[in-house]
């Protein structure tokens, strides 16, 4: 007998849906379908498209594409290389936050650290700044936040040093929150050898001791964010595999499995996958949005995924939890692996 549980619609503030520019990897229809299959009713898309989203015109093209295709609620983070401040006031009402890359990753979309302070000063109040900032740039982040105190979300914290930094910053009263990905919670350097390019992402997988530290200090983690970063198998098998792994469809079952093992409580799961992201990114929440999850045990299988990537670093893993139904704003939008609504029926945020 399988049990079904009900959860609020999950919120993922960190996905890369590749639309426009690289829709062979993912597009707004496939990416938001994968979101529903994973229990996410709101996603926020990152700006590192093939042509980075650094102007209002490019943002508009992206929003238009999402308006035609999205089947869940979706918002967008703006991008910057430190030379587009005139665009900030034009886009501020149309985005959820500003993403800044301080370390190299897919797309080579990285700023010179010297520009960070100026960007912080230029970004209008009211919408958070998201940082890709690994351990090597933590001093710069600290100095910048001390000088310009704007709400900042540290993406994909993956190591002991990085989480300790966040904890110190919070203790010091700096306006910092952080996210951790499921791959950093459930995979380590040991898996990297076996996974090869399929375990290759930024930040890299870390030693077991770092993963243990993340679990031991779970209270300091605000959000579990998938960092859904789809790439094709051909790209991953090539001589220069790109960084990134898909995650929208595996995040919830991994977290429910950890809950079943006693590693976190149901309340903590809901906070990390819903409540905290709603608060940090000002996502409207609505009592008529929820998901139903069949708690039978099952195996993660590539063939069942809706992401165009068609693979997961967690394939073969036994988990509990499969999203059986999604109710979005009172409408049943997903049942047993099938999206029931027309492309474009998702709402655009904010
Ligand atoms: C992301 C991607 O593929 O866009 N890759 C990754 O390894 N996480 C970019 C990013 O978020 O760093
Ligand atoms: Zn990312």
């Amino acid at each position: 007998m399988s049990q079904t549980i009900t959860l609020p619609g999950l919120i993922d503030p960190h996905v890369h849906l590749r639309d426009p520019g690289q829709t062979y990897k993912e597009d707004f229809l496939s990416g938001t379908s994968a979101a529903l299959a994973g229990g996410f009713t709101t996603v926020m898309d990152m700006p590192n498209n093939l042509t980075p989203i650094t102007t209002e015109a490019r943002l508009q093209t992206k929003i238009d594409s999402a308006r035609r295709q999205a089947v869940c609620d979706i918002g967008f983070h703006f991008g910057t290389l430190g030379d587009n401040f005139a665009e900030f006031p034009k886009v501020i009402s149309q985005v959820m936050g500003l993403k800044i890359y301080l370390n190299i990753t897919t797309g080579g979309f990285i700023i010179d650290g010297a520009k960070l302070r100026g960007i912080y000063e230029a970004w209008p109040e009211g919408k958070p700044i998201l940082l890709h900032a690994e351990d090597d740039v933590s001093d710069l982040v600290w100095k910048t936040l001390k000088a310009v105190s704007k709400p900042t979300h540290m993406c994909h914290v993956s190591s002991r040093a990085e989480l300790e930094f966040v904890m110190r910053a919070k203790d010091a009263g700096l306006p910092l929150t952080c996210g951790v990905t499921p791959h950093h919670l459930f995979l380590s350097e040991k898996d990297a050898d076996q996974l090869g390019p399929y375990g290759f992402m930024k930040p890299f997988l870390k030693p077991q001791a770092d993963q243990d530290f993340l679990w031991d200090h779970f209270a300091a983690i605000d959000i579990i964010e998938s960092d859904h970063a789809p790439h094709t198998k051909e790209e991953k098998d090539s001589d220069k595999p790109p960084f990134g792994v898909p995650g929208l469809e595996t995040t919830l079952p991994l977290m429910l499995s950890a809950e079943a093992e006693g590693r976190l409580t149901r309340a903590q799961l809901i906070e990390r996958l819903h409540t905290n992201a709603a608060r940090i990114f000002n996502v409207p929440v609505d009592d008529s949005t929820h998901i139903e999850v069949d708690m039978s045990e099952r195996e993660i299988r590539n063939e069942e995924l809706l992401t165009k990537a068609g693979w997961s670093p967690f394939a073969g893993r036994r988990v509990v939890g499969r999203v059986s139904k999604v109710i979005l704003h009172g409408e049943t939008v997903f049942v047993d692996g099938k999206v029931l609504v027309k492309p474009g029926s998702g709402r655009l945020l904010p």
Side-chain angles (χ1 to χ4, degrees), residues 93-170:
S93 66
Q94 304 175 67
V95 298
M96 307 302 281
L98 177 73
K99 177 73 180 281
I100 307 173
Y101 290 90
L102 287 161
N103 299 96
I104 200 69
T105 186
T106 303
F109 190 41
I110 179 177
I111 64 153
D112 173 353
K115 293 193 169 156
L116 188 64
R117 169 91 183 251
I119 297 172
Y120 260 74
E121 282 164 353
W123 184 244
E125 302 277 345
K127 302 276 170 88
I129 293 172
L130 300 92
L131 295 180
H132 180 139
E134 298 180 39
D135 191 30
D136 56 312
V137 291
S138 57
D139 286 349
L140 173 64
V141 173
W142 186 284
K143 280 199 205 97
T144 307
L145 275 173
K146 266 287 194 208
V148 190
S149 181
K150 290 192 175 165
T152 298
H153 180 73
M154 196 83 128
C155 295
H156 45 50
V157 164
S158 65
S159 68
R160 174 179 184 141
E162 287 167 9
L163 189 58
E164 280 178 340
F165 170 78
V166 171
M167 290 157 67
R168 269 202 311 281
K170 285 180 173 181

Side-chain angles (χ1 to χ4, degrees), residues 63-292:
I63 291 176
D64 287 345
S65 186
R67 183 178 287 117
R68 287 192 300 273
Q69 298 182 70
V71 290
C72 73
D73 295 353
I74 182 164
F76 310 91
H77 298 306
F78 199 54
T80 187
L81 289 171
D83 53 6
N84 62 343
F85 297 167
E87 303 290 317
F88 288 3
K90 296 193 246 170
V91 301
I92 189 71
S93 66
Q94 304 175 67
V95 298
M96 307 302 281
L98 177 73
K99 177 73 180 281
I100 307 173
Y101 290 90
L102 287 161
N103 299 96
I104 200 69
T105 186
T106 303
F109 190 41
I110 179 177
I111 64 153
D112 173 353
K115 293 193 169 156
L116 188 64
R117 169 91 183 251
I119 297 172
Y120 260 74
E121 282 164 353
W123 184 244
E125 302 277 345
K127 302 276 170 88
I129 293 172
L130 300 92
L131 295 180
H132 180 139
E134 298 180 39
D135 191 30
D136 56 312
V137 291
S138 57
D139 286 349
L140 173 64
V141 173
W142 186 284
K143 280 199 205 97
T144 307
L145 275 173
K146 266 287 194 208
V148 190
S149 181
K150 290 192 175 165
T152 298
H153 180 73
M154 196 83 128
C155 295
H156 45 50
V157 164
S158 65
S159 68
R160 174 179 184 141
E162 287 167 9
L163 189 58
E164 280 178 340
F165 170 78
V166 171
M167 290 157 67
R168 269 202 311 281
K170 285 180 173 181
D171 283 346
L174 300 183
L176 196 63
T177 56
C178 75
V180 171
T181 71
H183 40 273
H184 294 112
L185 286 173
F186 294 94
L187 297 172
S188 72
E189 242 173 27
K190 281 201 299 288
D191 302 288
D193 289 345
Q194 196 217 323
L195 285 165
Y198 296 92
F200 190 46
M201 80 292 286
K202 285 301 297 291
F204 295 131
L205 292 175
K206 296 293 183 322
Q208 186 63 45
D210 286 287
Q211 189 194 94
D212 293 344
F213 190 86
L214 300 180
W215 279 111
D216 290 344
H217 297 81
F218 199 80
I221 300 171
D222 299 280
I223 293 178
I224 304 299
E225 55 194 35
S226 73
D227 194 7
H228 179 79
H231 299 285
T232 65
K233 286 182 189 159
E234 290 70 28
E235 291 170 322
K236 281 295 198 181
D237 289 333
S238 71
D239 295 340
K240 269 193 112 252
F243 304 115
V245 297
L248 275 168
E249 292 163 89
T250 47
T251 299
L252 177 63
L254 288 165
M255 294 309 292
L256 284 170
S257 304
E259 183 202 307
E261 289 166 16
R263 304 179 87 177
L264 75 160
T265 65
R266 177 69 51 83
Q268 286 178 316
L269 182 146
I270 292 171
E271 281 166 8
R272 275 33 171 220
L273 288 171
H274 170 79
T275 322
N276 291 348
R279 188 189 70 245
I280 293 164
F281 294 98
N282 283 305
V283 180
V285 292
D286 144 9
D287 286 345
S288 60
T289 296
H290 65 266
I291 65 172
E292 292 176 13

